[in-house]
């Protein structure tokens, strides 16, 4: 219901839930394929200057746009630097056999939240994903 009901949908909460789902799914994939040579890791790329927030404050005054740009330029990584963690996890021989882990900038193995490590949530997300997508592959 929260996906289709605009009275219940919260874009900030949904964004956070989508990031958690990435971690949960990656961890479940790592668990299910452990020992097969397939690896699955998740990561936080860091805070990167992009235009992803363009729809968050669509009707803000122009001076807030300018202030936001200044703050982003001072505090956020450029996209080239922001890509380094993904590139490291995907290509580095140092993590070739590492699976089920979480990485932060720049290529540092870290822990995720207790939610991300919750095996029950991982399994439930996997099962729900199979249920929702089964009509496409059965």
């Amino acid at each position: 219901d929260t996906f289709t009901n605009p009275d219940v949908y919260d874009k900030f909460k949904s964004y956070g839930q989508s990031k958690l789902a990435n971690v949960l799914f990656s961890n479940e994939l790592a668990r299910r394929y452990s020992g097969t040579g397939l690896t699955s890791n998740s990561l936080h790329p860091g805070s990167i200057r992009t235009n992803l927030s363009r729809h968050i404050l669509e009707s803000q005054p122009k001076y807030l746009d300018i202030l936001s740009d200044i703050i982003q330029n001072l505090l956020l990584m450029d996209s080239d630097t922001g890509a380094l963690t993904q590139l490291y996890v995907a290509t580095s021989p140092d993590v070739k056999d590492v699976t089920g882990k979480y990485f932060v900038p720049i290529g540092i193995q870290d822990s995720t939240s207790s939610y991300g490590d919750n095996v029950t949530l991982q399994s439930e997300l996997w099962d729900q994903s199979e249920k929702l997508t089964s009509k496409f592959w059965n």
Side-chain angles (χ1 to χ4, degrees), residues 25-114:
F25 198 89
S26 177
N27 287 346
E28 183 67 8
L29 184 64
R31 187 183 65 74
R32 287 180 183 243
Y33 288 90
S34 176
T36 67
L38 182 137
T39 61
S40 176
N41 295 293
S42 56
L43 59 90
H44 185 312
S47 298
I48 303 167
R49 279 191 309 269
T50 68
N51 66 352
L52 288 175
S53 63
R54 68 190 176 280
H55 299 298
I56 292 174
L57 300 171
E58 291 174 325
S59 61
Q60 69 183 358
K62 184 66 177 166
Y63 73 90
L64 286 180
D65 279 338
I66 295 167
L67 183 60
S68 175
D69 287 344
I70 292 168
I71 291 170
Q72 285 188 36
N73 285 328
L74 290 173
L75 300 178
L76 305 182
M77 290 185 272
D78 61 62
S79 58
D80 288 346
T81 304
L84 292 177
T85 299
Q86 294 92 306
L87 290 170
Y88 174 78
V89 173
T91 64
S92 174
D94 296 341
V95 293
K96 176 179 166 275
D97 297 318
V98 174
T99 191
K101 301 301 179 188
Y102 182 75
F103 291 84
V104 296
I106 294 175
I108 299 168
Q109 188 175 319
D110 201 0
S111 57
T112 183
S113 69
S114 59

